[in-house]
């Protein structure tokens, strides 16, 4: 393949900028544009790999002092010879340095092409590569931890273990199909038991998907309740800033208002909504409809209750987990029920606001798995469900023809292979790496 080059640091002025060059001509290009003291650049870098060499980057219209480092193919990220240049991070320097690598034979890298080459060279699985993207885009500590487990191969290893069990079953069945006379006296292992073992593996992975979604995207929390209960005030208190407009007028919030914060490493997405009541106002009615829809799709509803109101309306949010938040406790002696999911707070003076924050964040750790493998990708979850369905079909056909069972097992095996990349189509692979940034 061609030798590729890209700027691997963010666009904009910075203390340091990195140009990455990968491919069989990487050392030759480095030799043409970087001057090490004492020896030719290529000789110096090749003789002391993975060690920075101080010198000068020589472009057509400027020079810069910096470092070059060489990674031989066997130990590089991409599985190809790679040279990285660490220069001053000016926009003009980076553009000029990149242009210089192109003048000497490199081509501009596509989105995610360095990581794609790492996948194609067998340095990582497709799932590992997706973990790299998730690491870059993670917005919380929980998201980073889940992405790292994906990037370091933990998820791929769990999927491969299930796929290997399937392959053992398929190998035995194919032997029966191909050599019926030679295998008619052999006793096959209990296939149903082995397949149920694979199902158990898949079910454990599928069960982590809700936690994976929370880790990657955060916990969606909707504040709902009667008008003037203090929903916007509670939201502002949780955020620690005045995000939502607060007035004494009931029905101030007409549309949803969103904000986010991180607590104990978990991202929390807050959605403030219109007060729930009967209304003839067209605009307010639309806001109320949106509030009910937001509550239905939430991970958690904070039912904000005004403890100073003469009538404390009890609202139901179906099967959505709900915390009852008794607001304005600084203005009343109302006794909040002493039970899980009930909080007496004051948005005004901050009473128990931090307790509420931490209780919301704790919803993530409730479902955390001991092994740490968490499914954070909808693509992976879809493949796991397809594999599960195919195995269940195979189990139901065990008393029938071997051909039918094998068709189902191959479908399951292919579905699992899509996660790791073993059976992924070129379109799937290209679609994944197109979401990467240039330079990674």
């Amino acid at each position: 393949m061609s030798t590729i080059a890209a700027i691997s640091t963010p666009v904009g002025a910075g203390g340091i900028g990195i140009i990455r060059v990968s491919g069989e001509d990487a050392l030759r290009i480095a030799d043409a544009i970087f001057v090490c003291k004492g020896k030719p650049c290529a000789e110096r870098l090749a003789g002391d790999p993975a060690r920075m060499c101080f010198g000068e980057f020589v472009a057509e219209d400027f020079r810069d002092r910096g470092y070059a480092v060489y990674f031989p193919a066997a130990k590089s990220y991409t599985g190809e010879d790679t040279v990285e240049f660490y220069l001053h991070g000016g926009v003009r320097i980076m553009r000029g340095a990149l242009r210089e690598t192109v003048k000497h034979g490199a081509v501009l890298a596509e989105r995610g092409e360095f990581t794609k080459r790492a996948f194609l060279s067998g340095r990582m699985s497709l799932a590992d590569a997706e973990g790299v993207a998730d690491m870059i885009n993670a917005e919380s500590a929980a998201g980073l931890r889940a992405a790292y487990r994906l990037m370091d191969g933990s998820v791929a290893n769990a999927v491969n273990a299930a796929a290997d069990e399937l392959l053992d079953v398929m190998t035995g069945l194919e032997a029966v199909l191909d050599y019926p006379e030679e295998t008619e006296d052999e006793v096959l292992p209990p296939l149903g038991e082995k397949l149920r073992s694979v199902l158990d593996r898949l079910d454990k992975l599928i069960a982590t998907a809700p936690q994976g979604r929370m880790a990657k995207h955060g916990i969606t929390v909707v504040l709902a309740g009667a008008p003037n209960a203090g929903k916007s005030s509670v939201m502002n208190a949780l955020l620690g800033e005045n995000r939502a407009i607060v007035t004494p007028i009931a029905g101030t919030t007409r549309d949803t208002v969103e904000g986010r914060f991180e607590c104990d490493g978990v991202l929390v997405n807050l959605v403030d909504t219109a007060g729930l009541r009967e209304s003839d106002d067209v605009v307010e009615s639309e806001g109320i409809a949106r509030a009910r829809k937001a509550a239905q799709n939430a991970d958690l509803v904070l039912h904000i209750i005004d403890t100073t109101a003469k009538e404390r309306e009890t609202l139901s949010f179906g099967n959505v987990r709900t915390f009852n938040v008794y607001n304005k406790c600084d203005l009343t002696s109302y006794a909040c029920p002493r039970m899980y999911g009930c909080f007496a707070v004051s948005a005004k003076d901050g009473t128990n606001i931090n307790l509420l924050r931490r209780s919301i964040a704790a919803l993530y750790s409730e479902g955390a798995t001991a092994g740490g493998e968490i499914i954070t990708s909808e693509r992976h979850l879809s493949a796991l469900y397809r594999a599960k369905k195919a195995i269940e079909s195979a189990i139901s056909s065990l008393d029938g023809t071997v051909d039918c069972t094998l068709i189902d097992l191959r479908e399951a095996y292919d579905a699992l292979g899509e996660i790791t990349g073993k059976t992924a189509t070129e379109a799937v692979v290209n679609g994944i790496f197109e979401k990467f940034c240039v330079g990674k």
Side-chain angles (χ1 to χ4, degrees):
M1 291 188 288
S2 58
T3 298
I4 56 174
I7 301 170
S8 288
T9 41
V11 176
I16 296 174
I18 301 173
I19 302 290
R20 176 180 284 172
V21 181
S22 179
E24 63 181 6
D25 291 330
L27 269 179
R28 181 189 61 77
I29 292 171
D31 199 45
I33 59 180
F34 198 83
V35 179
C36 296
K37 292 185 178 180
K39 290 183 180 180
C41 180
E43 182 181 343
R44 177 73 177 272
L45 293 178
D48 202 4
R51 186 181 294 271
M52 285 187 166
C53 172
F54 179 73
E56 280 192 329
F57 190 98
V58 182
E60 181 180 357
D61 55 354
F62 73 90
R63 287 174 176 251
D64 188 25
R65 290 183 177 180
Y67 293 88
V69 59
Y70 166 63
F71 302 98
K75 295 184 178 180
S76 76
Y77 178 74
T78 60
E80 304 172 323
D81 282 356
T82 301
V83 176
E84 293 180 354
F85 300 100
Y86 294 75
L87 308 174
H88 291 101
V91 174
R92 179 63 178 82
I93 294 173
M94 287 292 98
R95 289 177 179 171
L98 179 62
R99 184 167 60 246
E100 205 65 27
T101 65
V102 172
K103 281 175 56 178
H104 287 85
V107 297
L108 296 178
E110 301 290 338
R111 286 179 174 270
E113 190 168 0
F114 292 100
T115 305
K116 184 177 181 180
R117 291 191 176 199
F119 162 67
L120 293 175
S121 66
R123 304 288 286 178
M124 61 176 64
S125 74
L126 193 58
D128 300 348
E130 290 172 285
V132 172
D134 285 355
M135 284 289 292
I136 294 171
N137 296 318
E139 298 181 276
S140 67
L144 282 171
R145 289 192 295 268
Y148 185 81
R149 296 294 291 180
L150 184 58
M151 184 181 69
D152 77 351
S154 297
V155 173
N157 289 340
V159 172
N160 279 331
D164 288 344
E165 281 197 68
L166 273 184
L167 191 59
D168 285 342
V169 176
M170 291 165 60
T171 301
L173 287 176
E174 285 174 344
V176 171
L177 194 63
D178 294 338
Y179 307 102
E181 295 179 358
E182 290 86 341
T183 59
E184 63 179 351
D185 295 329
E186 293 186 16
V187 178
L188 289 174
L191 299 184
E193 183 179 325
K194 294 194 72 171
L195 292 178
R196 277 185 281 273
S197 172
V198 178
L199 276 181
D200 184 57
R201 286 180 182 271
L202 301 189
D203 284 335
K204 287 179 179 178
L205 287 172
I206 290 171
T208 68
Q211 306 309 121
R213 181 175 52 78
M214 290 183 186
K216 189 172 183 177
H217 302 293
I219 302 173
T220 300
V221 180
V222 169
L223 293 87
N228 220 24
K231 299 182 294 299
S232 298
S233 297
V234 172
M235 178 178 183
N236 289 341
L238 288 169
L239 292 174
E241 62 176 287
N242 292 325
R243 176 70 181 84
I245 297 173
V246 176
T247 74
I249 303 171
T252 297
T253 303
R254 296 296 185 96
D255 202 351
T256 56
V257 179
E258 300 180 4
R260 52 174 50 184
F261 66 90
E262 184 176 343
C263 180
D264 294 338
V266 181
L267 184 66
V268 178
N269 304 304
L270 295 179
V271 183
D272 186 22
T273 63
L276 299 177
R277 65 177 177 182
E278 297 297 325
S279 175
D280 295 327
D281 184 288
V282 175
V283 177
E284 185 179 11
S285 295
E286 176 61 24
I288 292 169
R290 293 186 181 188
R292 295 188 186 281
K293 183 177 181 180
Q296 291 172 0
N297 297 322
D299 296 310
L300 173 71
V301 170
L302 298 185
H303 179 199
I304 311 300
I305 301 168
D306 183 357
T307 57
T308 67
K310 293 181 180 179
E311 295 184 5
R312 301 182 188 91
E313 185 175 0
T314 302
L315 300 173
S316 174
F317 300 96
N319 295 325
V320 180
R321 177 174 286 194
T322 303
F323 284 173
N324 290 317
V325 180
Y326 295 85
N327 190 27
K328 307 180 185 179
C329 69
D330 57 312
L331 302 177
T332 179
S333 58
Y334 177 79
C336 171
R338 294 180 176 274
M339 57 188 298
Y340 173 76
C342 292
F343 302 84
V345 307
S346 169
K348 183 177 181 181
D349 64 21
T351 300
N352 288 333
I353 290 297
N354 196 49
L355 173 64
L356 182 57
R357 281 196 196 100
R358 301 199 69 179
S359 297
I360 294 170
L363 296 180
Y364 170 74
S365 59
E366 279 182 14
T369 57
E373 292 79 21
I374 296 179
I375 299 301
T376 58
S377 165
E378 289 296 326
R379 186 182 79 84
H380 298 174
L381 184 60
S382 173
L384 288 170
Y385 273 123
R386 284 189 282 115
K388 178 182 177 179
K389 183 178 178 181
I391 294 171
E392 289 173 341
S393 177
I395 291 174
S396 67
S397 68
L398 284 176
D399 294 333
T401 62
V402 173
D403 280 338
C404 293
T405 303
L406 273 172
I407 289 172
D408 290 328
L409 294 182
R410 286 177 186 137
E411 183 179 343
Y413 185 82
D414 287 346
L416 295 178
E418 287 181 16
I419 297 175
T420 60
K422 290 180 179 179
T423 61
T425 64
E426 184 178 354
V428 169
V429 172
N430 290 338
I432 289 171
F433 289 106
E434 284 171 1
K435 298 174 183 177
F436 277 59
C437 57
V438 175
K440 189 57 185 173

